[in-house]
Amino acid sequence: MEGLTKIAELGKPRVVIVGGGFGGLQLAKELADAPVQVVLIDKQNYHGFWPLLYQVGTAGLNADSIVSPFRKILNEQENFYFRMAEVRCIDPALQVVETSIGQVRYDYLVLATGTTSNYFGDKQMEKNSISLKSVTDAIELRNTLLSNFEQALQIGDQAQLNSLLDFVIVGGGPTGVEMAGALSELRAHVFPRDYPELDLKQMDIHLVQSGPVLLKGMSAEASEHALKYLQEMNVQVWLDNRVTSYDGYTVKLKSGENLVARTLIWAAGVTGAPIAGLDPAALLKSNRYQVNEFSQVAGYTNVFAIGDIAQMATPAYPEGHPQVAQPAIQQGRLLGENLKRLLRKEPLEAFEYQDKGTMATIGRHRAVGDIILFGKQFHITGWLGWLGWSLVHILALVSFRNRIAVFIAWAWNYITQDKGMRYIIGKPKSPLKEQEVETKAIV
Ligand SMILES: Cc1cc2nc3c(=O)[nH]c(=O)nc-3n(C[C@H](O)[C@H](O)[C@H](O)COP(=O)(O)OP(=O)(O)OC[C@H]3O[C@@H](n4cnc5c(N)ncnc54)[C@H](O)[C@@H]3O)c2cc1C
């Protein structure tokens, strides 16, 4: 291990938080008035609002509208220290974490590292598909999407043309459904203006879902409406089907059909992003840490895990809480209070998840939501659902600047049916080689 990193010792207990996502950031804020030093370590220098990532990937929003630098969010919090580094290993005996910039000592360690894409061991899929887990992924998707259309203008061969214009999305959860809706809106409103030389009837959008319904985990009403909306928007939905292989061109389906697409978006699952060093018995098959009702990792009293990386089995959630933002935020908030209680030597409070419901938007005036109010579930769809979804997401953004930026982008999009962020900055996933692009005369 390398030497200790240069972080001032304040003579106060040090809480090291690994990961500044929804859980880690909430915890750091909660500890503002605690007699502790808060050290947040993240491999990125910003907090990302992932529910709107697909809009960056489909040219609806600029990346900087959905991210905020940690130093800006917490620069007024006196006990807050940030280090941009990757945490690689934990030594619980020495109470240090090994990072890409050296060791960091802790008194209390909180793991809030979230998840990564799960390809279920399919290396070819991992290599050839585009996932949606980071800003880099979203920008790569946008570059690929727009480059495909630029290249399509130069292609005469029909099969090659189809491979550029067709898109396959794997996974019918909220990300897959929202992505399919956004691509369909581009096809209906934006691309006809940008590419009048192309026949957009040839642009096919396929959504492949392994189970019998979309939006598994939401109500039957929400699933049915999502399917209806996507069908109205000419998205081809393949239920009870699976992609068995993808070589970057041919998509083989379990049902026997082959699709042809140079772009496959992988939204089919996530797995925990644990860090080596803790007792392997604490890590469950799901790659999530087993935690108790106080978020303590099994076998430790000063190591905690919150959010997507934590699996807290309760009678209502025997397999752990859903891997969405609210459990992470609520666990971060309670752990902040519990750490203060721990320092005051008071009993800790057990976590109880307050489910507020789930929403997904499919396109303009089309959204579904299962909302829980006063202990009762309400279903909203259509225009009301879409308005509710928009409001909830604007309010949930971390900074005022981002709220304004997103509001303006959406208002502009609503009035003009335009998506203004159609830049190709950087490279697409797999650009066509020069010899693959025929030179078609411009007529
Ligand atoms: C595309 C997409 C759409 C989504 N849509 C929704 C939605 O509509 N509604 C909803 O509720 N949820 C949604 N989610 C899920 C939601 O974003 C997660 O449940 C939530 O982010 C979990 O919060 P977290 O704090 O556990 O982890 P995250 O928010 O994922 O944060 C983890 C942080 O840890 C950092 N990190 C990881 N490993 C290391 C390491 N070794 N060293 C240093 N730093 C590290 C990462 O850089 C990251 O900043 C979506 C997720 C994605 C990807």
Side-chain angles (χ1 to χ4, degrees), residues 18-24 41-44 46 48 50-51 53-54 70 85-88 112-115 132-133 174-175 178 273 275 306-309 323-326 328 359 393:
V18 187
F22 285 100
I41 307 176
D42 199 301
K43 55 188 176 189
Q44 308 166 152
Y46 55 81
W50 309 133
L53 196 59
Y54 78 97
F70 293 120
E86 184 174 0
V87 176
R88 292 173 175 161
T113 47
T115 53
L132 205 62
K133 278 297 287 174
T175 302
E178 293 186 338
I275 297 171
I306 55 174
D308 281 1
I309 190 65
Q323 287 169 297
V324 290
Q326 272 303 320
M359 301 180 105
H393 283 76

Side-chain angles (χ1 to χ4, degrees), residues 17 24-33 38 73-74 77 398:
I17 306 169
L25 181 64
Q26 186 65 43
L27 170 63
K29 287 180 179 173
E30 206 62 45
L31 292 172
D33 60 350
V38 179
I73 305 171
L74 292 164
Q77 188 169 319
V398 165

Side-chain angles (χ1 to χ4, degrees), residues 146-155 164 428 430-432 437:
L146 298 173
S147 297
N148 281 5
F149 278 77
E150 294 301 327
Q151 288 171 338
L153 293 168
Q154 294 304 113
I155 295 283
L164 287 166
S430 355
L432 285 189
V437 182

Side-chain angles (χ1 to χ4, degrees), residues 92-411:
L94 291 178
Q95 296 197 180
V96 290
V97 289
E98 190 189 337
T99 80
S100 49
I101 56 166
Q103 292 177 343
V104 179
R105 186 195 67 72
Y106 66 82
D107 295 297
Y108 300 97
L109 176 65
V110 183
L111 302 168
T113 47
T115 53
T116 57
S117 293
N118 188 0
Y119 296 92
F120 306 98
D122 187 338
K123 293 280 171 214
Q124 197 193 33
M125 181 65 74
E126 185 170 354
K127 179 170 166 268
N128 294 321
S129 65
I130 298 183
S131 69
L132 205 62
K133 278 297 287 174
S134 67
V135 172
T136 320
D137 290 341
I139 291 176
E140 185 182 54
L141 172 61
R142 189 178 71 194
N143 289 339
T144 306
L145 172 66
L146 298 173
S147 297
N148 281 5
F149 278 77
E150 294 301 327
Q151 288 171 338
L153 293 168
Q154 294 304 113
I155 295 283
D157 179 74
Q158 190 59 41
Q160 287 283 357
L161 187 66
N162 284 345
S163 76
L164 287 166
L165 297 186
D166 291 359
F167 294 82
V168 175
I169 303 157
V170 186
T175 302
V177 164
E178 293 186 338
M179 175 62 71
L183 285 176
S184 170
E185 293 215 311
L186 280 171
R187 177 178 58 187
H189 305 295
V190 179
F191 287 162
R193 283 182 255 169
D194 276 8
Y195 303 101
E197 297 155 81
L198 292 175
D199 174 12
L200 288 166
K201 286 196 206 81
Q202 295 187 50
M203 176 180 170
D204 295 326
I205 303 164
H206 300 273
L207 177 62
V208 186
Q209 160 71 339
S210 59
V213 291
L214 295 174
L215 301 176
K216 187 179 149 221
M218 289 187 74
S219 62
E221 198 173 337
S223 303
E224 282 157 22
H225 268 88
L227 180 63
K228 178 175 134 290
Y229 290 149
L230 286 173
Q231 286 169 340
E232 283 168 6
M233 293 165 84
N234 280 328
V235 172
Q236 184 155 358
V237 182
W238 300 79
L239 292 175
D240 265 330
N241 213 326
R242 231 166 32 84
V243 172
T244 54
S245 76
Y246 177 55
D247 59 6
Y249 188 82
T250 306
V251 185
K252 290 195 171 155
L253 297 180
K254 193 182 98 189
S255 54
E257 283 94 344
N258 286 350
L259 307 173
V260 166
R262 286 191 181 269
T263 313
L264 183 146
I265 302 160
W266 184 255
V270 291
T271 183
I275 297 171
L278 293 185
D279 179 358
L283 198 60
L284 299 170
K285 268 198 210 132
S286 54
N287 251 351
R288 298 167 88 182
Y289 291 110
Q290 186 186 348
V291 298
N292 65 12
E293 66 273 38
F294 311 120
S295 295
Q296 283 163 316
V297 174
Y300 301 89
T301 50
N302 66 340
V303 181
F304 302 80
I306 55 174
D308 281 1
I309 190 65
Q311 187 160 330
M312 186 189 290
T314 64
Y317 299 93
E319 301 296 318
H321 297 101
Q323 287 169 297
V324 290
Q326 272 303 320
I329 293 171
Q330 294 176 26
Q331 286 172 1
R333 190 174 298 136
L334 182 68
L335 181 55
E337 288 168 18
N338 273 340
L339 284 172
K340 292 182 230 175
R341 288 191 184 101
L342 206 64
L343 293 169
R344 295 194 299 261
K345 299 193 174 20
E346 289 171 8
L348 306 186
E349 192 183 311
F351 179 74
E352 214 173 301
Y353 177 44
Q354 305 297 323
D355 187 2
K356 297 180 177 174
T358 316
M359 301 180 105
T361 183
I362 293 108
R364 169 182 287 238
H365 299 175
R366 290 179 171 107
V368 293
D370 296 333
I371 309 296
I372 298 173
L373 276 179
F374 311 112
K376 283 199 167 165
Q377 194 179 58
F378 299 90
H379 306 295
I380 50 172
T381 53
W383 190 87
L384 187 63
W386 175 79
L387 190 67
W389 180 93
S390 307
L391 282 174
V392 164
H393 283 76
I394 287 208
L395 292 175
L397 279 157
V398 165
S399 77
F400 184 66
R401 179 197 170 280
N402 286 3
R403 282 183 210 140
I404 296 289
V406 170
F407 178 76
I408 291 172
W410 284 355

